[in-house]
Amino acid sequence: MSITVPSGAQANRAGRSPRIGRGGSTAGAGHSFLLVCAAVGGAAALGLITRNAFSVAFWPANAILVGIMLRAPQRHRPSGWAGAVAGFILADLIFGQSPELAGWFATANVTGTFVAVLLLRRLDPRDLRLRRVHSVMRISVALLPGSIAAALAGAVMVVVQFHGSPSQTLMTWTASEIANYLIFLPAMLTVQPPWRGERRAGTPAPTARPVWPALLLAMSCILAVWFDGPGSIMFPMPALLLCAMTYSVSTAALITMALGSGCMITIGLGLVDIGQDLSIPRMVISIRIAVAFLALVPLTISSAMAVRDDLMAQLQRVADHDGLTGLLNRRAFEHRLHQLLDIAPNPGSGGLALFWLDLDHFKAINDRHGHPAGDAVLRAIATTIAGCCCPGDLSARLGGEEFALAIVAPDARATAAMAERLREAIATLRIDWHGTAIRATSSIGACHLAHWPVDAAALLRGLDEALYRAKHAGRNRIEWLDPAALNLSAA
């Protein structure tokens, strides 16, 4: 979330001193500097630890820097980028690099990442979360200019410092940047921190995913090491595609990161022999491109699967909810209620309060004020009903002006209090319709279940009968169903 720092005049109007505002900005700048410096310096040191003369470069620092600037936009400020420069230089100095070369490398890395951040910030936020079909391709296209910019700065350094080949540097550096971005950046963009992992109310619990695709991936990696050779790098691809189709985007990104970084390290350090001479630049470029595609293909599939899952969830919500009020419809409510009543409750979980309610004289509201006014009343009643529910409770519009609730309640006394509060909340509700206050009352059939499973069909019939007794007895009242008076034992 971006933070807007008010100007001096704005600060005075808001009752804050400009001096305090500048102090807060200074503290924020210092925090950004230290945080980015530590993250980039640590990631750069990790890359330098795994280097060797002809290493297929394992370099997570640039992707981590881009991820920080996108996930925490408040770090995208001069102090944050200064921290990145300091982190790159410190890591090089610690590992014995000269200050001059450390400055060159830092310039190349920061130039490339800055360009990449500017372009990625222009993408749709759904692309950065890999929630669109072509998200990975759009991200790759946005990363390419940044990779080329870093390679250009690196080529200048190679020519000035080592009198080397600029064209060779351009090719190898660009391929390395793209491969490392595709390995690390998707995980940086999609993995949710543990402190933000709480589920939103109403969001279904994640389903357990099978373990065997990950086990197949581990076995294919072992086979790749066992057989060696140029083709061994692609041995894990089938299992990796299976993981992409099975697991969430963030999990697939983590798996791809682990596999890609493992390839970079083991091949670069010669722990796995793929039969290629890594002192030949074109061989290095070929391997880096292969590793890039090893990440690109499964991430694209995982992103497409996420889009499909999102669409299916939207269709399921449309199928299960009433279009006017947003509450569950009759089919979905009765299905979920049957599922609930077919399973014995956990000990100590309390009972269940069931309310069937119908608005009194609703046809008169439609006749007097028009159907749009009636719709406004239904929406207001639905909002009142939803406000009585907690996550896990059920509320529905059964059709017309008829509603239903199933709420966890500890005992019959609590259920009675809930029913009375619901009746009173509806009776005191005022719906303003073009200057006219519309009021409505409700008749309620209520029941408290202390034990189940029960015969759900008999229970629903009994609640419906209690509702109509409330109407015949004068409306705006509650009639109770005694479960003991009916044969509610489960069939």
Side-chain angles (χ1 to χ4, degrees), residues 133-148:
V133 174
H134 301 297
S135 293
V136 178
M137 298 305 299
R138 292 188 181 97
I139 289 173
S140 301
V141 170
L143 289 172
L144 185 59
S147 301
I148 294 174

Side-chain angles (χ1 to χ4, degrees), residues 227-365:
F227 283 99
D228 289 334
S232 62
I233 195 172
M234 299 307 292
F235 274 27
M237 180 60 82
L240 196 57
L241 295 179
L242 187 60
C243 289
M245 291 186 289
T246 304
Y247 302 125
S248 66
V249 170
S250 57
T251 302
L254 286 173
I255 291 173
T256 303
M257 183 180 71
L259 182 62
S261 58
C263 287
M264 287 290 199
I265 294 172
T266 55
I267 295 174
L269 296 181
L271 302 177
V272 173
D273 181 13
I274 61 170
Q276 302 295 316
D277 186 354
L278 297 184
S279 64
I280 302 175
R282 61 186 176 85
M283 295 297 179
V284 176
I285 294 171
S286 176
I287 293 168
R288 291 174 181 173
I289 292 175
V291 174
F293 277 101
L294 194 65
L296 179 68
V297 175
L299 286 173
T300 301
I301 291 176
S302 180
S303 178
M305 295 295 292
V307 172
R308 188 209 65 167
D309 292 343
D310 288 345
L311 290 174
M312 292 298 293
Q314 291 176 25
L315 289 173
Q316 187 64 55
R317 175 168 179 80
V318 170
D320 286 349
H321 290 77
D322 174 59
L324 178 66
T325 63
L327 301 180
L328 291 173
N329 57 31
R330 177 184 289 273
R331 181 195 60 81
F333 178 82
E334 292 187 351
H335 175 70
R336 297 187 189 187
L337 185 62
H338 277 73
Q339 287 183 322
L340 178 63
L341 297 178
D342 285 343
I343 302 174
N346 296 324
S349 62
L352 191 65
L354 294 169
F355 305 133
W356 248 237
L357 66 91
D358 190 271
L359 300 186
D360 299 326
H361 304 298
F362 183 73
K363 185 177 182 300
I365 295 176

